Each structure stands twice: as C-alpha cells, then as structure tokens.
Amino acid sequence: MSNEDWTRRSLNAVWHPCTQMRHHAGGGALPLLPILRGEGAWLYDFEGRRYLDGISSWWTNLFGHANPRINAALREQLERLEHVMLAGFTHQGAIELAERLSALTDGALGHAFYASDGASAVEIALKMSFHYWLNRGEHKKNRFLCLEGSYHGETVGALAVTDVALFRDAYAPLVRQAEIVPTPDARRAVSGESAVDVARRAAFGLEAKLRAEEGRVAALIVEPLVQGASGMAMHDPEYLRLARALCDRYGAHLICDEIAVGFGRAGTFFAHEEAGIRPDLLCLSKGISGGYLPLSVVLCRDGIYQAFYDEDIRRGFLHSHSYTGNALACSAALATLDIFAEDDVLNANRVRAEKLYASLASLAEHPAVSHLRARGMICAFDVKSEDPDFSRRFYRAALAREVLLRPIGNTVYLMPPYIVSDEEIGQLGRATKEALAEALAAV
Ligand SMILES: *Cc1c(COP(=O)(O)O)cnc(C)c1O
C-alpha cells in the first residue's frame, strides 16, 4: 500500500495527539506521514522516502531507532517475562533499574515509584508531596507552585501545574490551578542583566510567594535548566540553587520534572546536577527507555518514603497504574543505562553538542533570528515573524529537505538522538537555514 492509502485510513480511524485534525485536510495542509520503519536517526515511509529525526520523536529517542543493543535486550526479556503486576510481585528489571537510578543520584533519592507516562509521574509527585505533609500532620500544605510557561503534562492534575494557555485554558473549570511564580527564562534579561541576574529576580518572586503562602505550599515544581514545551526557555543553574534554599527555608518540597531534560539531554546525566543540588522528588520518563516503551518513574528521598511506612493502610501511597514497572520497558531502560556507561555518552555528547550549535551559529547574524541558545543536546532560536502559519510552513519546508523539525510557535529547535553523525548534523543545520528562508519568504 502507498503512503496515501495509510494516511487516508489513519485519518478515518485514528485521532492524533496535539493536532487540530482539520489541519490535515485540504490543499496546503499539514502532511500526515505513515512510517514503515526506523533505523538510527532516520524514519522511512512506505515509499522509501526518509526523514532525519531532528526532535528524537518528541524527545524520547536517545540512541537511534531500532538500536541493535536495545533490541537484543528486549528480545531476551520477551522470552522470559513480558509483564507482571507490581503489587505483591516484583521482578529483576524493576529492582535493578530502581537501584541503578538511585545510585545515579548518589543514593540521595533512595526509592523509585514506577508509572507509564510523564504526566502520570507528575501526578504521582504531586500526590506524594501532599500526602507526605498530611501524614506529618501538616494538612494545610495543599498548594503547589509552578513557573510561568511551565509544562508538566496534560492530564487534569498535571494541567494544574502547566502554564501553557493553548493546552490549559479550555479545561480551566476542571483544574485546581497552582500558583504561578516568575520564570527565570534568560530571555527576560533587561538592560545589561545577566542570566544570573534574571535567575535572582525570579527567585525574589518565588520567595515573595512562599512568604505570602507560608504553611500552605506543599511543593514547587520546576523543569530544570530548560522549560521545554513552552519554547525551550533556558535559565541559569543559579535559579535551582536559590529555589532549593528557599524550599528548605519555607518547608516545601522541590520537585524536579526531568522528563525532557534528564538522561543527558541538558548535558549532565540529570539536569539538576548542573546546580549541585538534589530535589526531594524527581520525575523521569521520555528518554528513560531510550524512546522504546512508555515508562516513567518518580524517585524520592528516603525521608518521604518513611513518612508513608506504617501499619495504617491509609497512610500508605495507594496509587497504581496497571502497567507500573512493566518488565519490557524496564529492560529497555537498563539497556539504555548500559549504553551510557559503555560508550561514555556524556563526554561524547559534549563534542557533539558543540557541533550541533556550530551548525546553526551563523543564524546569530540573521535579521529575523533572536536568542540563539543551547544547553547540552538542545539548540533553539526564536524567529521574528507575524505569520500565524510560520511553524507549519517551516515544518513542511524542513520535511521537503528530509528533516523532521517541529517548531513550537516561533521557536525552532534541534534535539536529535545522541547518535547523529557529523554529516547528519550538517544536514540538520543546512535544512534549518533553508527551511527558515522558505518559510519567511512565503509571506
Ligand atoms: C513531555 C513532558 C511531560 C509529559 O510527559 P508525557 O509522557 O507526554 O505524559 C511532562 N513534563 C515535561 C517537562 C515534559 O517535557
């Protein structure tokens, strides 16, 4: 069957995520691409055309599609155990993964609670924080703080700490909105301010809120270093140090949502390491399974775990998802950690990240480009354009050059898998510049 057949059947039967389905219809429409197979950084359609996955399939893929080592681990696991419920049962993969993730925090976060998606990890962290304070007799601590422009997922609980109008506003009546505190986004710098100055200014705002709400805040939730979904807003690690100190002073948890920035994406293995701090609760997903299977985890300090440890069942954390700690997903995650260890990935990425930035560096001079920025394996810039269709035009222009890039509004970003070659980085850079020229010329 041709691409067109699959596309038609998909549009008849599948409701696609994050999409106004009408945009797939008619002339000049957003294409819907049926993918037959993947290999390395490339996705192949049914007619042999290929696309360089410049955004790691929504930031999940780390070591390429159909990675031989992850495939081998999954095949082996498949012959032994595909899944077993994690209440009353346990298995080797869930145990080893929890131990290894904890070791990667130097033991600071000693317990792992599994779930299946990022948003469910966020829900778990929020419930755990609230319930911890309840178990400690602090029942007034039921408010959460989140940053301006924060994104923590799209279930009703996660939307409460998400500040992206497009995703949240329609559901506002369903949501118990968290308090929003200023973002440390370095682009907010005014007249000679440095990124550190912006971070300090944002921390002032955080302290004012913590003081005003003293005794009522359970936790602050942040995306460390890069606020992804609202447009790759980057901040100085100083903000995380100040936020850590303020949460300690006012008796609130610090939740780090590293669903997008963990697993080396922002340079260090966990993004919060860059600030020399540890959160109380850490949410991980996306890259955790190398981009293979839905898996998420919340790591917590032992002190939080201990507050639930009791004869009384109501003081326990009774949350669950059917596929919690799925054995296949855990084996993909363990294979992913093996690759990090065996290939010295973080060091190799330092060089790769420089090349990625270099591939876009000339755009710093482009009259329509501002705030060219990078953090680890993420490069982004903002485009001055009044065209409401800029992002879709750019997307189509990049696809025509065999490259998958999906701007967020007027922010274009590169976030490729960690196995991209120099040649592929070159192609990403060239396609970005050409797609930009084409999208800007269209109006
Ligand atoms: C993607 C993302 C989520 C939500 O994860 P899902 O698996 O899509 O539910 C939450 N937080 C951040 C920072 C993310 O980037």
Side-chain angles (χ1 to χ4, degrees):
M1 281 210 300
S2 67
N3 276 354
E4 206 184 312
D5 294 327
W6 287 113
T7 298
R8 186 168 19 81
R9 281 173 61 183
S10 194
L11 290 176
N12 279 336
V14 181
W15 197 339
H16 293 268
C18 203
T19 300
Q20 169 49 273
M21 294 298 292
R22 178 71 177 76
H23 289 167
H24 280 309
L30 200 61
L32 178 70
L33 292 171
I35 295 302
L36 173 64
R37 66 185 186 92
E39 191 183 331
W42 294 89
L43 296 164
Y44 294 81
D45 70 15
F46 286 76
E47 291 167 6
R49 265 191 300 275
R50 58 178 204 161
Y51 305 94
L52 182 54
D53 190 350
I55 58 166
S56 300
S57 285
W58 258 351
W59 323 347
T60 58
N61 192 286
L62 301 189
F63 300 119
H65 298 279
N67 181 289
R69 285 190 271 180
I70 303 176
N71 285 2
L74 276 170
R75 278 195 198 98
E76 204 184 302
Q77 182 63 42
L78 198 52
E79 295 302 328
R80 249 185 309 146
L81 175 70
E82 78 301 330
H83 181 67
V84 62
M85 61 194 266
L86 211 61
F89 293 85
T90 193
H91 61 84
Q92 190 179 341
I95 298 164
E96 284 180 2
L97 183 59
E99 289 172 350
R100 285 175 72 175
L101 291 173
S102 170
L104 285 162
T105 70
D106 293 325
L109 307 177
H111 280 83
F113 194 101
Y114 290 108
S116 330
D117 288 284
S120 49
V122 167
E123 302 264 343
I124 286 163
L126 299 177
K127 284 175 69 179
M128 235 178 221
S129 172
F130 164 76
H131 199 167
Y132 167 88
W133 295 116
L134 193 65
N135 281 351
R136 293 273 308 261
E138 302 210 43
H139 59 275
K140 287 204 187 103
K141 287 195 179 174
N142 61 24
R143 312 284 315 166
F144 293 100
L145 307 185
C146 65
L147 301 187
E148 229 179 318
S150 59
Y151 178 90
H152 297 289
E154 311 207 26
T155 53
V156 172
L159 278 178
V161 288
T162 286
D163 181 36
V164 179
L166 186 61
F167 301 145
R168 186 199 54 202
D169 284 0
Y171 310 102
L174 305 184
V175 170
R176 184 169 176 271
Q177 180 63 51
E179 301 274 350
I180 295 168
V181 295
T183 173
D185 180 354
R187 291 173 300 180
R188 298 291 174 91
V190 290
S191 59
E193 267 187 327
S194 67
V196 175
D197 294 331
V198 181
R200 295 200 175 119
R201 189 150 50 77
F204 265 124
L206 169 61
E207 177 157 27
K209 187 63 83 181
L210 282 165
R211 207 182 306 117
E213 295 285 333
E214 196 162 359
R216 288 188 291 272
V217 176
L220 163 72
I221 184 166
V222 297
E223 295 160 84
L225 303 184
V226 185
Q227 293 183 265
S230 66
M232 302 299 157
M234 301 186 184
H235 59 253
D236 192 275
E238 178 69 2
Y239 182 76
L240 300 171
R241 282 189 284 274
L242 295 169
R244 176 69 276 180
L246 288 169
C247 285
D248 287 341
R249 188 172 320 147
Y250 288 89
H253 290 136
L254 176 63
I255 303 172
C256 284
D257 173 353
E258 299 212 10
I259 290 163
V261 293
F263 295 90
R265 186 51 78 176
T268 46
F269 190 80
F270 294 128
H272 65 261
E273 290 168 27
E274 187 73 33
I277 58 133
R278 293 290 181 198
D280 301 295
L281 295 147
L282 176 61
C283 301
L284 302 170
S285 189
K286 291 198 168 119
I288 191 171
S289 67
Y292 266 66
L293 286 158
L295 178 70
S296 65
V297 66
V298 177
L299 300 180
C300 76
R301 288 187 185 277
D302 289 333
I304 293 180
Y305 171 80
Q306 290 301 340
F308 291 79
Y309 197 79
D310 196 282
E311 280 301 327
D312 183 351
I313 189 167
R314 289 164 305 175
R315 290 173 63 89
F317 193 61
L318 303 186
H319 189 100
S320 68
H321 297 285
S322 310
Y323 282 100
T324 286
N326 173 260
L328 287 167
C330 286
S331 77
L334 288 166
T336 298
L337 290 183
D338 287 343
I339 295 175
F340 270 103
E342 288 160 16
D343 292 7
D344 196 15
V345 169
L346 297 181
N347 277 321
N349 272 2
R350 235 160 263 150
V351 181
R352 201 172 277 119
E354 275 170 30
K355 289 176 178 165
L356 192 64
Y357 185 78
S359 80
L360 298 185
S362 66
L363 285 175
E365 313 296 321
H366 194 292
V369 168
S370 61
H371 301 293
L372 178 63
R373 56 195 181 275
R375 170 70 75 178
M377 286 294 288
I378 308 172
C379 269
F381 59 86
D382 302 336
V383 178
K384 288 166 219 149
S385 163
E386 303 294 319
D387 176 9
D389 278 337
F390 169 78
S391 113
R392 278 186 272 155
R393 265 190 236 285
F394 181 98
Y395 176 72
R396 283 195 302 263
L399 284 179
R401 290 162 180 82
E402 296 192 330
V403 167
L404 162 53
L405 291 172
R406 206 168 180 272
I408 300 169
N410 281 19
T411 298
V412 174
Y413 70 94
L414 307 186
M415 204 158 158
Y418 304 163
I419 43 85
V420 276
S421 65
D422 291 357
E423 203 180 313
E424 287 160 350
I425 288 175
Q427 182 170 355
L428 278 174
R430 280 191 305 280
T432 304
K433 290 171 206 166
E434 289 174 18
L436 179 65
E438 186 179 317
L440 290 173
V443 273

